[in-house]
Amino acid sequence: MSDEPIISIRDLKNAFGDQVVHEGLDLDVRQGEILGVVGGSGTGKSVLMRSIIGLQEPVAGEISILGERIDMATAEENLDLRRRWGVLFQNGALFSTLTVAENVQVPLREFYKYLDEQLLNEIATYKVVMTGLPADAAPKYPSELSGGMRKRAGLARALALDPILLFLDEPTAGLDPIGAAAFDELIAELKEALGLTVFLITHDLDTLYTICDRIAVIADKKVIATGTIEELLATDHPWIQEYFNGPRGRAAVAAQG
């Protein structure tokens, strides 16, 4: 893991009309880390992710990815940046009328129009298997898969372009504890094997304790603290103390022991 930020955010402001979601938000994401992003409901965790990947235009502030200011990049530069990240939205966000393989092929068809059908099918099957699904899941439709399998299929699509940045929005939400733990293990393995940097929004304390290198806490419209769990516990912010020292936090600590 490097101290050099792969994502740098300065003085970010997001608003919807008169409702200000973020103001003066600063954050660095270091290359090679899994950064967990936490905060109460309505603090704008998903809005922050959408701002980084260009789906939400901030009111003010600067976002740099791989040294490129995304608001100053040319269309070609932005296209090149988009090739370098993958996104797993909540619940997988798969196209219901496409098979798993066809879902994985969507970004490949967008960026690499010269690939023939056989190669597209081979790449899609490889990505499906990479995420722990059986190869025979590739021709199935999302409706034929369990919730956990749909998450993995969504992850396979996020990895289609061999990204170096991976954005995950509540990846273990709705999974049972065993399925969530298996998904956490998969993310950690892929991060090591592929050299990924992971931006992970989660409420899952087990995920935070198990695989996150650092955690960024959003409250009061900004990132109020960033660090390891031990470093966060040393702060006196009431939300942080309640979150990590509450009953579920104590249970997560006990599970680690």
Side-chain angles (χ1 to χ4, degrees):
M1 185 173 64
S2 168
D3 286 338
E4 180 183 350
I6 193 168
I7 300 172
S8 181
I9 302 169
R10 293 292 178 269
D11 204 23
L12 187 73
K13 179 176 181 179
N14 276 306
F16 299 95
D18 294 333
Q19 181 187 0
V20 178
V21 180
H22 303 133
E23 190 157 28
L25 186 150
D26 296 333
L27 179 63
D28 285 334
V29 183
R30 298 171 183 167
Q31 186 171 354
E33 75 174 341
I34 299 179
L35 179 74
V37 179
V38 301
S41 297
T43 53
K45 300 180 293 295
S46 296
V47 173
L48 175 59
M49 187 189 85
R50 291 170 63 87
S51 296
I52 298 170
I53 63 176
L55 296 180
Q56 166 73 31
E57 185 174 354
V59 175
E62 300 178 3
I63 301 175
S64 297
I65 303 176
L66 296 166
E68 294 277 355
R69 278 272 302 273
I70 61 174
D71 59 321
M72 299 178 67
T74 65
E76 186 176 344
E77 288 168 340
N78 271 320
L79 193 64
D80 184 59
L81 280 174
R82 286 176 55 203
R83 288 193 185 100
R84 307 184 76 177
W85 67 61
V87 185
L88 174 60
F89 294 101
Q90 290 186 37
N91 304 315
L94 296 168
F95 297 108
S96 61
T97 57
L98 302 180
T99 65
V100 170
E102 288 168 341
N103 268 280
V104 176
Q105 290 170 11
V106 167
L108 292 166
R109 292 181 186 277
E110 179 181 358
F111 287 104
Y112 302 113
K113 301 183 187 300
Y114 56 84
L115 297 177
D116 62 37
E117 290 299 317
Q118 181 178 346
L119 185 54
L120 284 167
N121 288 329
E122 289 175 359
I123 294 172
T125 301
Y126 173 73
K127 299 297 182 180
V128 166
V129 173
M130 179 190 292
T131 59
L133 289 172
D136 62 10
K140 293 182 178 179
Y141 288 91
S143 61
E144 300 177 275
L145 305 179
S146 68
M149 293 177 76
R150 284 196 294 274
K151 298 261 190 183
R152 290 175 184 257
L155 180 59
R157 185 177 63 188
L159 295 172
L161 298 175
D162 298 324
I164 60 174
L165 260 170
L166 184 61
F167 295 91
L168 307 175
D169 193 355
E170 298 283 4
T172 59
L175 300 182
D176 62 77
I178 294 175
F183 200 91
D184 285 344
E185 183 179 351
L186 172 64
I187 294 301
E189 290 174 352
L190 289 171
K191 176 247 185 182
E192 290 297 327
L194 304 177
L196 296 169
T197 299
V198 183
F199 182 98
L200 191 161
I201 298 170
T202 187
H203 286 104
D204 193 327
L205 281 155
D206 288 329
T207 298
L208 297 173
Y209 275 95
T210 303
I211 66 170
C212 291
D213 298 297
R214 292 191 307 142
I215 298 162
V217 181
I218 302 179
D220 308 324
K221 302 178 182 178
K222 62 186 67 179
V223 174
I224 58 169
T226 309
T228 64
I229 290 176
E230 292 76 15
E231 290 168 339
L232 295 179
L233 287 172
T235 69
D236 58 3
H237 193 281
W239 191 90
I240 294 175
Q241 291 298 323
E242 182 179 358
Y243 186 74
F244 288 102
N245 282 322
R248 296 182 73 179
R250 293 195 296 271
V253 172
Q256 297 305 307

